Amino acid sequence: MNLEELGWNPSFEADFGEYRQRGLSPGRIACQQKDLYQVYGVDGTMSTEVSGNFRHNARSKADFPAVGDWVAIRPCPEESKATIQAVLPRRSVFSRKSAGARTEEQVLAANIDTVFLVSGLDNEFRPRRIERYLTVAWDSGAAPVIVLNKADLCTDIGARLEEVESVAFGVPVCAVSATEKQGLDALESHLGVGKTVAFLGSSGVGKSTIINALLGAQRQEVRAVREDDSRGRHTTSYRELIPLPGKGLLIDTPGMREIQLWTDEDGLRKSFEDIEALVGSCRFRNCAHQKEPGCAVRAAIENGALDAKRYRSYLKLQREVRFLAAKQDQKAHLEEKARRKEFGRMVKKMKKDYKKG
Ligand code: GDP
Ligand code: ZN
């Protein structure tokens, strides 16, 4: 594959300029296994690790390469392992808060152009969930496409489409049946050479079935990489950045599937533009939409223009986002404190050394 087929474009080339001058070459992360990254480059797949310098300079987990990242590589034939020197700025990022008491951003995938938000048209149909996924998608920087799968199990697709369109202004919606191979052309119209797509959606909605339908016959062999690990044993890992010959690439990482909310108020606003507009026309700026006179939100709920359930899901999401933001602030505060302490210690030591010497 050439770089364009891997998703390279002039704006990545511009960011890469300084690295090219240093004799580095570009590559794209296909998968990660502990410290080992498989990277696609012009010469095929390489096994790489981040350089010592990279590790030293990384401030957080989010600075490390993730699937879909473009990286600057120093080939190292004598050691058979190339090293990653830098990660190029990301055009889109999907992340989640990593497990544990510390709130830390963990990047699941990067540089996704289009994200398919998959839901089932069976009795698992939940427009509220589509709303949440839309918020995540807007926040990532990727363009969302809503995919309603299992159309074969639905007798009233028209009504469902209307419900979805009422929560997703201007976002393309495709109804498909992955098992019956119906409607897949509409999905393929969002693919293209050099474009990267990913799938989001709850377990059981049919993401794997759709992916396998798009991959056709090739499936597993394009995903598996056999590697000798450091002890010389054979291990098999699965590429999560998968080329679809002539149609671009798809990213399928386990974490993406169960993505948690890691979004900010901008993403929230974008998904709830209608409610934000109403809030703006309440008579009082600090309206709590309870009993205040001239409340546009309550009026809209009363006259049916705004679904009360949609309003509740907006409030719920708003609380989550605020909670998360507060947690992030607290973490930043603690880090700043630690940095100051370290700096103070360093100054003390310098003074002491100065006196001695
Ligand atoms: P994932 O967890 O989102 O990857 O979902 P899977 O692809 O594993 O699909 C879950 C189940 O739904 C499987 O039993 C599939 O056969 C079934 N399924 C997937 N797509 C369709 C569809 O279009 N129609 C119907 N009736 N079943 C489907
Ligand atoms: Zn109000």
Side-chain angles (χ1 to χ4, degrees):
M1 291 223 288
N2 64 37
L3 286 181
E4 282 71 29
E5 285 170 317
L6 287 170
W8 191 247
N9 61 39
S11 91
F12 286 121
E13 182 62 46
D15 288 337
F16 196 72
E18 59 167 306
Y19 302 115
R20 208 177 276 293
Q21 278 174 0
R22 283 164 50 191
L24 307 181
S25 50
R28 198 165 182 202
I29 307 285
C31 66
Q32 177 193 0
Q33 257 198 329
K34 300 214 177 78
D35 293 340
L36 219 56
Y37 297 88
Q38 299 298 326
V39 173
Y40 294 133
V42 273
D43 301 323
T45 310
M46 284 170 276
S47 211
T48 67
E49 279 178 47
V50 298
S51 71
N53 234 342
F54 186 108
R55 188 173 297 282
H56 181 76
N57 292 330
R59 279 154 307 150
S60 73
K61 261 190 186 171
D63 288 347
F64 282 85
V67 173
D69 262 328
W70 281 102
V71 292
I73 299 220
R74 185 185 301 290
C76 191
E78 59 277 17
E79 281 178 40
S80 87
K81 218 158 261 160
T83 51
I84 296 173
Q85 305 288 322
V87 174
L88 295 194
R90 294 165 174 147
R91 298 300 183 268
S92 68
V93 185
F94 280 90
S95 53
R96 69 171 173 205
K97 46 186 170 163
S98 61
R102 275 164 59 92
T103 315
E104 196 172 20
E105 182 181 12
Q106 182 188 2
V107 176
L108 299 169
N111 301 319
I112 291 168
D113 298 298
T114 303
V115 59
F116 291 121
L117 309 178
V118 189
S119 298
L121 277 170
D122 49 5
N123 37 25
E124 288 295 304
F125 184 71
R126 301 269 188 285
R128 299 298 130 210
R129 208 176 286 154
I130 298 178
E131 246 164 25
R132 292 179 67 101
Y133 282 126
L134 265 177
T135 309
V136 174
W138 285 128
D139 202 43
S140 74
V145 172
I146 295 174
V147 179
L148 305 178
N149 188 34
K150 308 197 186 183
D152 55 295
L153 298 180
C154 182
T155 48
D156 198 356
I157 295 178
R160 259 61 204 282
L161 282 176
E162 257 175 46
E163 267 180 87
V164 171
E165 275 157 7
S166 74
V167 301
F169 311 95
V171 176
V173 185
C174 309
V176 305
S177 168
T179 47
E180 308 295 311
K181 304 233 180 331
Q182 273 167 6
L184 296 175
D185 295 357
L187 291 191
E188 295 204 355
S189 75
H190 295 282
L191 311 178
V193 175
K195 266 189 135 187
T196 306
V197 300
F199 292 77
L200 268 185
S202 314
S203 161
V205 294
K207 295 178 299 296
S208 312
T209 314
I210 296 173
I211 290 170
N212 286 338
L214 292 175
L215 279 172
Q218 18 155 14
R219 291 157 75 149
Q220 288 311 323
E221 64 270 30
V222 295
R223 309 197 64 171
V225 237
R226 274 169 73 73
E227 239 355 278
D228 288 331
D229 68 12
S230 54
R231 294 191 185 85
R233 283 182 310 212
H234 271 311
T235 57
T236 306
S237 54
Y238 289 90
R239 283 179 198 157
E240 292 164 0
L241 177 67
I242 310 152
L244 292 166
K247 296 182 218 159
L249 305 116
L250 70 84
I251 285 187
D252 182 28
T253 78
M256 278 285 286
R257 296 176 164 220
E258 305 301 323
I259 201 158
Q260 279 184 57
L261 204 60
W262 177 281
T263 187
D264 58 21
E265 302 218 21
D266 282 347
L268 188 68
R269 282 213 182 93
K270 206 122 195 195
S271 303
F272 290 97
E273 267 170 359
D274 53 336
I275 298 182
E276 290 286 332
L278 286 172
V279 169
S281 41
C282 290
R283 186 177 306 160
F284 298 108
R285 272 197 61 191
N286 59 351
C287 184
H289 325 305
Q290 302 292 327
K291 293 203 162 72
E292 294 87 343
C295 173
V297 173
R298 251 189 19 257
I301 292 174
E302 272 155 28
N303 71 24
L306 171 63
D307 182 1
K309 271 197 274 177
R310 178 165 167 80
Y311 180 59
R312 272 201 298 279
S313 95
Y314 166 78
L315 290 179
K316 183 158 177 277
L317 210 52
Q318 202 174 39
R319 278 196 299 274
E320 274 179 48
V321 167
R322 296 219 168 117
F323 173 71
L324 207 55
K327 252 177 114 174
Q328 274 170 265
D329 280 352
Q330 193 189 13
K331 188 184 165 228
H333 175 74
L334 291 175
E335 278 175 358
E336 178 60 30
K337 229 166 101 179
R339 245 195 309 268
R340 284 213 197 120
K341 212 163 153 188
E342 197 186 340
F343 182 72
R345 226 179 273 142
M346 196 177 79
V347 172
K348 236 185 230 161
K349 186 172 177 298
M350 275 166 68
K351 279 189 187 154
K352 216 162 114 195
D353 291 352
Y354 181 75
K355 269 190 205 147
K356 262 196 264 168

